[in-house]
Amino acid sequence: MTTLTGYAVAAVSSEAPMSRIAREMNHEFADAAWQESHAVTRVDQLREWMVSGAARNQMRDVELGLARATMAMRITPYILNLIDWSNFFQDPIRKQFIPLGSEILPSHPLLKLDSLRERETSPVEGLVHRYHDKALLLATDRCPVYCRFCTRSYSVGLDTQSVSKRRTSPFQSRWDAIMAYLRATPVIVDVVVSGGDCFRLKPSRLLAIGMDLLSVSSIRRIRFATKGLAVLPMKVTSDHEWTDALVNVSDAGRTRGVEVSFHTHFNHPVEITDYTMAAAELLFKRGIRMRNQSVLMAGVNDDPEVMKQLVKRLSDLHIQPYYVYTCDLVDGIEHMRCSVRLACQIEKAVRGITAGYNTPSFVVDSPGGGGKRDVHSFEHYDRQTGLAVYRAPSVRPDQLFTYPDPLQSLSQDAQAAWLDPQRAKRLLSDAVEAAGAKWMEV
Ligand code: SF4
């Protein structure tokens, strides 16, 4: 059993983070390798954590949740230690990583696996080219943790009972094709390295990817996207080779006039601890530009006060709050999605609490591949049917994109309409026509 008595992760202690971490540096809990090797991936390991409070006797519920989940389980001891097990059902960290069968609601009928249609816009395996001047590089299909709400559930992590993952070929065998495409497509000036998560890349691979991208003269910006700082911050303070690789790429980029940045994924202020503060401080001092992308989720951060606190605390760490996404359509997480209306309300509450450049844009990543749209920018939004219609003139000018509110936010009658294929088709065609376009069935 992984016993963590005495390892409690204080959200913030009065001691300066760097000195506390330095003092604990020999402690195994502060070691990323220990965290990774003790990550919980099986139900029997999780059982050992669920021995008290509201969590006791809930294993069957977890097993039912996992049976339906699109993502395998992988949770670091650090994250498990942040869960308030006495508040098991409501805890915002638990909700992101441990599914419960009793929470799962029927998915919206517009749900599709790979809802953003990334595979359709991949000119070479492992590279998504949807926006004109930007590409998304899928460098790995592994992460330090697996989130229930992952958009890329079609390919990231291990197979689950409900999803056989679409594996990409080993990275090295597709790397030459990716580089050839980037060199031959100078319109691409911005590359996001994601996956999966760059925290799972070996330092040598991280360095090689960064340096190879820097060798493409047309690329002006490189972003490493990671959940790692939120779930395994001790990687930065204990895996010096990895952190040096990141800093070396960043420094080399600066010398060549290329911005290299680090995009984090914090969803709740509780995720910011002394470990996070030490890691963020180290990265800031070593010149790493950081921005954060959150996902808006019911029961996690769908509260203006929680979001305001998150924005403030990230700003204090010099992590610029950049985006808040409405939750994508993913099977088994309908209960975590929020309506467009609620996203607009929270955005209004947050705007004005701090400097504009530290105020995140609230966006819908439009299903079907329209890319990110400002949540307020719908052409049409019917609160009764819960359907918002967006245009994406710079991405796909001839198409409209719809984002549906979660079924449970609608009236009984509207829910019944969505569950009837003929009436659902009518809801779609009415919304598209109300947005000023002609309905064309595809
Ligand atoms: S860390 Fe990112 S890519 Fe990995 S499971 Fe979570 S959301 Fe998906």
Side-chain angles (χ1 to χ4, degrees), residues 69-71 113 153-155 158-165:
T70 58
M71 299 301 291
L113 193 64
S153 57
Y154 67 88
S155 68
L158 305 176
D159 289 350
T160 68
Q161 290 179 47
S162 67
V163 183
S164 298
K165 307 287 167 157

Side-chain angles (χ1 to χ4, degrees), residues 197-246:
D197 195 303
C198 63
F199 262 49
R200 291 296 295 273
L201 295 175
K202 290 197 173 102
S204 56
R205 172 64 52 81
L206 180 69
L207 187 67
I209 289 174
M211 292 304 182
D212 279 357
L213 290 175
L214 286 172
S215 74
V216 181
S217 59
S218 44
I219 294 175
R220 310 300 300 151
R221 294 177 289 282
I222 300 169
R223 310 180 229 171
F224 289 97
T226 177
K227 178 90 178 155
L229 202 62
V231 296
L232 190 65
M234 49 286 289
K235 177 93 172 164
V236 171
T237 44
S238 67
D239 188 344
H240 305 298
E241 204 186 338
W242 190 92
T243 306
D244 286 348
L246 178 71

Side-chain angles (χ1 to χ4, degrees), residues 71 97 142-152 156 194-197 226-228 265:
M71 299 301 291
F97 301 105
R142 299 300 151 98
C143 304
V145 295
Y146 294 125
C147 316
R148 313 268 36 102
F149 50 90
C150 182
T151 307
R152 220 155 281 134
V156 166
S194 184
D197 195 303
T226 177
K227 178 90 178 155
H265 177 180

Side-chain angles (χ1 to χ4, degrees), residues 260-271:
V260 176
S261 56
F262 196 62
H263 279 211
T264 65
H265 177 180
F266 289 90
N267 292 324
H268 193 281
V270 165
E271 294 163 2

Side-chain angles (χ1 to χ4, degrees), residues 409-421:
S409 68
L410 307 178
S411 68
Q412 290 297 323
D413 184 51
Q415 291 187 37
W418 276 114
L419 297 175
D420 174 338

